Amino acid sequence: MKIGMIGLGRMGMNMARRLILGGHQIVAYNRTPDKTEGLVKEGAEGAFSLRELVKKLPAPKVVWLMLPAGKPVDDHLEQLRSLLSPGDIIVEGGNSRYKDDIRRVETLKESGIHYLDAGVSGGIWGLKVGYCTMIGGEEQIFHHLEPILQTLAPKDGYMYCGPPGAGHFVKMIHNGIEYGMMQAYGEGFALLEASPYGQTLDYGRISHLWNQGSVIRSWLLELLEDAFAEDPRLETITGHVDDSGEGRWTVEAAIDSGVAAPVITMALFQRFQSRKENAFENRVLAALRREFGGHAVQKS
């Protein structure tokens, strides 16, 4: 397929690369042209305005957005609305709030433009192992885009989740669970660090050990092993842990639905607390975010 990719950040750039390697044609656009020019050298077709990108796509045109949630997405959608035609398709692949998706679908429907929301997980490793993708919107449009989704995802790694907003809602809950899992690892290693054995334990080896058949083995623990190999006591970073917003939205969903989610809620609040102290468990969380998502850390 031939699609337009708007936004060549950490995720968007590697997703475009994976699609090119999978035989798709990519028309790439980024606000700063140097990234577009870089991807052109790897096989993409460059566009240096939204109008140029749209002109280079065949009908029905498919445009995939990988932009920061909120106003940047809405601003681009408003411009694209005047450039696209009835039957064209927009996929919002960033971390948008599902309520925004529902609103956007109604607005774009007036122009006959289809809209899918795609929750994408995979971080900086997605180029190599694929992107787990959760889709919401019209099911027939989902099926039309399956060649793209099959290329982006690993085997069994994409799913139609339901009507507009469902993809981003499922991804939001995914991120809430991620918060809780990371918090548990952070607290566990902090207990080891505070114990009489803390100064002699090798946390990298423990991470490796626990991944050999134990019930708490996981990809996150593999990433933590890598982090400890680079910095055995995580002394080069601070425990300042940011949040992208989806954890907050998950807690709000728990409140709205009356579902108890104490672990996820506490994990979110712990991130707030991390910005005022440099606890070991928070350095574990910061290291994990760097390893799986390429997120910046604050150096100590």
Side-chain angles (χ1 to χ4, degrees):
M1 299 185 72
K2 186 172 185 178
I3 72 167
M5 180 68 74
I6 298 175
L8 302 176
R10 284 194 302 263
M11 291 278 283
M13 178 68 84
N14 279 345
M15 289 171 69
R17 286 173 172 147
R18 187 172 173 92
L19 288 171
I20 291 170
L21 292 172
H24 300 281
Q25 296 174 276
I26 298 298
V27 181
Y29 168 77
N30 195 71
R31 182 174 56 85
T32 53
D34 57 322
K35 289 189 175 181
T36 302
E37 292 165 353
L39 196 61
V40 167
K41 296 176 182 177
E42 299 181 42
E45 187 175 355
F48 298 93
S49 69
L50 294 182
R51 182 176 298 277
E52 182 183 0
L53 179 138
V54 169
K55 284 184 176 180
K56 290 184 174 182
L57 294 173
K61 302 176 190 296
V62 180
V63 178
W64 191 302
L65 304 182
M66 291 301 295
L67 300 166
K71 190 174 185 300
V73 174
D74 284 324
D75 289 347
H76 280 74
L77 289 177
E78 187 60 32
Q79 294 180 64
L80 288 169
R81 186 181 177 191
S82 65
L83 297 172
L84 295 174
S85 302
D88 291 341
I89 302 164
I90 296 175
V91 183
E92 202 318 77
N95 286 329
S96 282
R97 194 173 190 177
Y98 75 98
K99 293 181 180 179
D100 289 337
D101 295 319
I102 296 170
R103 167 179 56 81
R104 290 164 181 161
V105 164
E106 293 304 313
T107 300
L108 292 171
K109 188 183 296 184
E110 298 171 3
S111 301
I113 300 169
H114 303 287
Y115 176 97
L116 294 184
D117 52 282
V120 182
S121 180
I124 58 176
W125 295 88
L127 175 60
K128 179 180 180 181
V129 302
Y131 297 90
C132 177
T133 309
M134 297 141 266
I135 302 292
E138 299 171 75
E139 189 168 5
Q140 68 270 26
I141 303 301
F142 159 79
H143 288 304
H144 177 73
L145 296 184
E146 280 198 85
I148 294 172
L149 300 171
Q150 288 170 352
T151 301
L152 284 174
K155 185 177 183 296
D156 299 326
Y158 71 93
M159 176 180 169
Y160 175 71
C161 298
H168 278 145
F169 187 86
V170 173
K171 173 57 162 55
M172 179 186 79
I173 301 304
H174 161 284
N175 280 29
I177 293 170
E178 175 190 297
Y179 275 43
M181 293 174 65
M182 291 171 63
Q183 185 65 30
Y185 284 131
E187 292 177 7
F189 279 97
L191 287 168
L192 293 175
E193 176 75 356
S195 76
Y197 314 104
Q199 295 307 305
T200 59
L201 290 173
D202 185 325
Y203 299 140
R205 292 184 63 193
I206 290 173
S207 300
H208 181 77
L209 171 68
W210 283 348
N211 265 321
Q212 311 314 307
S214 88
V215 296
I216 63 167
R217 64 187 182 275
S218 74
W219 183 55
L220 286 175
L221 201 54
E222 293 175 7
L223 295 175
L224 200 51
E225 179 184 349
D226 293 339
F228 283 130
E230 181 179 331
D231 185 357
R233 283 297 186 275
L234 305 181
E235 294 172 331
T236 63
I237 62 175
T238 71
H240 181 108
V241 186
D242 287 320
D243 67 286
S244 61
E246 290 187 292
R248 302 185 189 209
W249 301 338
T250 302
V251 172
E252 289 180 13
I255 294 169
D256 291 342
S257 59
V259 173
V263 172
I264 295 173
T265 303
M266 183 279 296
L268 173 65
F269 288 173
Q270 183 65 29
R271 293 193 177 199
F272 297 162
Q273 186 182 27
S274 78
R275 296 158 201 176
K276 298 182 180 178
E277 59 183 64
N278 188 27
F280 187 78
E281 60 263 40
N282 294 331
R283 298 207 298 275
V284 170
L285 300 188
L288 276 172
R289 291 184 84 245
R290 177 189 62 193
E291 293 298 320
F292 73 71
H295 299 287
V297 296
Q298 292 190 9
K299 300 296 184 180
S300 62

